[in-house]
Amino acid sequence: MAMRDYSDEFKADAVALYESTPGATYKSIAADLGINRATLREWVLRDRERRGVTATPATAGETLARAGATASSADPDERIRQLEARVAELEASERKLATERDILRKAAKYFRRDELVISRFQFVDDHRATYEVKRLCEVLELNRSSYYKWLSGRQARAARQHRDRVLADKIREVHGESGGAYGSPRVTAELRDKGLPVNEKRVARVMRAFAITGIRLRRRVRTTVPDPAATLVPDLFQRDFTAPEPGRKYMGDITYLPLENGEFLYLATVLDCFSRRVVGWSIADHMRTDLVADALRMAARTRGALDGSLFHSDHGAQYGSRAFADLCIQLGVTRSMGAVGTSADNAACESFHASLKRETLQGAHDYGDATTCRRTVFTWLSRYNTRRRHSANGHLSPNEYERRHHADKLTLAA
């Protein structure tokens, strides 16, 4: 299901992604982009040859670093003694910090209403060697039988807390791999896929307890400007953004990408309604018809052909232009448009772009310069197809969802 013909824009972005990623390998970058490792290597070597670059500076630096590390081991015994002394110093400092942290935490919990009862029991247990339990319970207005019941459940609570900490570490790993984007449903699906049978409610509870959260949406900027002279195009979707198989129904939209100094880039995308796979996209510093036309041409290269398919969009002037209509006729695509001024008629694309900016900006106001913006969005779009789990696909990536669909069809045919 790889793209049959890659555009120069795609090749340049792939090379830039590889060259700008520290410690990158052809295998890892190619996996993110869904392309062959040898193909990526060929693009990179060809680009380096064009620029007259024969070797990466990192190789020489790593060699010098290894040489310096070897030369610094003149007296191993003395070095070991220094390290042991340093470790002892750090352990003592850590014990001191842990004690201070525990004291501050207990003092804070005592005045927190949501943990007031637990804090009182803990206070009694922490000070029972200094004061009588009876006296502590009287002062804190606690029932002694309730305290002893709490005390008997200490082992069970400790075991449960330990299990939660272990699960939290695994959740952080999955959450980090997603760029901080996954919520409890996708984290649960990822953990189950890795062989951990975990309940989504428990994942949500642990994420709340350990402050593992997603990213909030930002204010939207209007990118849909209707063309009053455009030919009327009917709504053939009627808000049905599903399809029985790949290649039947596509949808597209434009979104802004904020840069520093108040400037913008613009992204046009084409999504397959069956799997939500991004089959075409284009990034430019303008919103002319060429932007959406390039995205549709990429979709045609990705799928091989678009004959007999539907393409749905809003009433932006780019989609209503004569040039775009001619391109759709040339590619055998039937156009569909939602009602003017109604974002719900293109809700799936709106949601896709919201997710993209939420997960790439991660709370920032802009992407920085244009090069950083293009590289960041290019990386996310590629990983979206190959790795990102989608709720509409049963928490499978778009590529995997299509692969299983084709495998099921072959099984039924056999």
Side-chain angles (χ1 to χ4, degrees):
M1 300 180 64
M3 192 185 304
R4 299 185 181 184
D5 181 21
Y6 299 94
S7 66
D8 292 338
E9 179 183 358
F10 185 94
K11 294 177 184 178
D13 286 338
V15 171
L17 175 62
Y18 173 81
E19 296 285 21
S20 64
T21 305
T25 64
Y26 291 119
K27 181 179 180 181
S28 63
I29 298 298
D32 282 347
L33 302 181
I35 63 177
N36 186 276
R37 172 187 173 278
T39 301
L40 176 62
R41 182 175 181 274
E42 179 184 352
W43 294 346
V44 172
L45 294 180
R46 189 182 303 162
D47 181 74
R48 288 178 179 175
E49 182 179 356
R50 178 182 61 80
R51 293 184 287 114
V53 178
T54 57
T56 57
T59 303
E62 291 171 357
T63 303
L64 290 173
R66 287 195 293 269
T70 303
S72 65
S73 57
D75 188 355
D77 292 339
E78 178 61 25
R79 182 61 175 162
I80 290 174
R81 284 193 293 272
Q82 291 176 357
L83 290 173
E84 289 176 343
R86 182 57 177 161
V87 168
E89 180 183 346
L90 290 173
E91 288 178 343
S93 177
E94 174 62 23
R95 285 193 297 270
K96 180 180 178 182
L97 289 174
T99 301
E100 294 176 357
R101 186 168 59 248
D102 288 343
I103 292 173
L104 291 172
R105 184 185 300 116
K106 290 171 184 176
K109 284 183 177 180
Y110 183 75
F111 294 101
R112 284 176 56 182
R113 296 181 62 85
D114 57 335
E115 299 185 18
L116 188 56
V117 174
I118 297 177
S119 299
R120 289 178 180 180
F121 287 152
Q122 189 63 57
F123 185 85
V124 171
D125 197 52
D126 290 343
H127 296 80
R128 60 185 300 183
T130 306
Y131 306 99
E132 290 184 355
V133 171
K134 178 180 179 181
R135 179 59 181 160
L136 288 168
C137 290
E138 287 176 351
V139 172
L140 298 176
E141 299 181 353
L142 292 175
N143 191 307
R144 273 190 293 170
S145 62
S146 297
Y147 162 70
Y148 287 118
K149 183 178 180 180
W150 173 88
L151 193 62
S152 66
R154 172 183 291 175
Q155 280 189 326
R157 283 195 305 277
R160 184 169 60 251
Q161 291 169 359
H162 174 72
R163 291 194 298 269
D164 285 350
R165 285 193 296 271
V166 171
L167 179 59
D169 289 339
K170 295 178 180 178
I171 290 174
R172 285 194 187 96
E173 181 180 351
V174 171
H175 193 253
E177 290 173 354
S178 74
Y182 279 6
S184 58
R186 290 190 177 94
V187 169
T188 303
E190 189 73 30
L191 291 174
R192 288 175 179 171
D193 200 44
K194 292 183 176 182
L196 183 64
V198 64
N199 184 279
E200 183 184 333
K201 290 183 178 180
R202 185 186 173 204
V203 171
R205 175 179 61 79
V206 172
M207 289 181 71
R208 285 195 301 270
F210 288 84
I212 306 173
T213 59
I215 306 160
R216 301 282 183 185
L217 284 171
R218 297 179 66 247
R219 180 177 59 88
R220 296 179 62 246
V221 170
R222 187 184 184 202
T223 55
T224 302
V225 181
D227 182 357
T231 305
L232 182 64
V233 177
D235 184 356
L236 303 178
F237 269 44
Q238 296 297 319
R239 301 187 183 179
D240 179 10
F241 304 109
T242 63
E245 60 183 24
R248 291 281 191 89
K249 296 167 64 177
Y250 298 98
M251 49 189 169
D253 198 5
I254 302 174
T255 191
Y256 76 101
L257 304 172
L259 305 179
E260 58 190 1
N261 302 323
E263 298 178 347
F264 296 94
L265 288 180
Y266 299 94
L267 168 70
T269 53
V270 178
L271 277 66
D272 191 304
C273 291
F274 173 76
S275 61
R276 299 298 197 271
R277 181 184 177 189
V278 192
V279 294
W281 71 79
S282 181
I283 302 174
D285 59 358
H286 62 80
M287 287 201 301
R288 296 189 293 271
T289 301
D290 288 345
L291 177 68
V292 297
D294 287 344
L296 191 63
R297 290 190 186 99
M298 179 180 175
R301 289 194 297 270
T302 301
R303 289 306 195 193
L306 299 179
D307 290 331
S309 63
L310 294 177
F311 177 78
H312 184 80
S313 69
D314 57 28
H315 275 267
Q318 303 85 354
Y319 293 111
S321 67
R322 182 69 262 173
F324 188 76
D326 290 342
L327 176 62
C328 288
I329 293 172
Q330 176 187 337
L331 297 175
V333 174
T334 300
R335 291 189 299 158
S336 168
M337 285 187 176
V340 176
T342 305
S343 61
D345 287 348
N346 206 19
C349 270
E350 298 274 353
S351 175
F352 169 79
H353 287 153
S355 296
L356 182 152
K357 284 190 275 193
R358 181 178 65 249
E359 296 177 15
T360 52
L361 284 170
Q362 300 191 6
H365 293 290
D366 58 69
Y367 291 95
D369 58 64
T371 301
T372 302
C373 174
R374 177 181 288 273
R375 185 182 305 130
T376 300
V377 173
F378 176 76
T379 303
W380 189 90
L381 289 171
S382 300
R383 288 178 62 89
Y384 173 89
N385 282 338
T386 59
R387 298 191 179 187
R388 187 183 183 277
R389 297 177 181 273
H390 201 296
S391 57
N393 298 340
H395 294 299
L396 296 175
S397 70
N399 282 5
E400 178 63 15
Y401 189 66
E402 289 191 5
R403 187 195 68 78
R404 294 194 184 188
H405 171 76
H406 289 302
D408 291 342
K409 285 185 64 176
L410 291 175
T411 301
L412 291 174

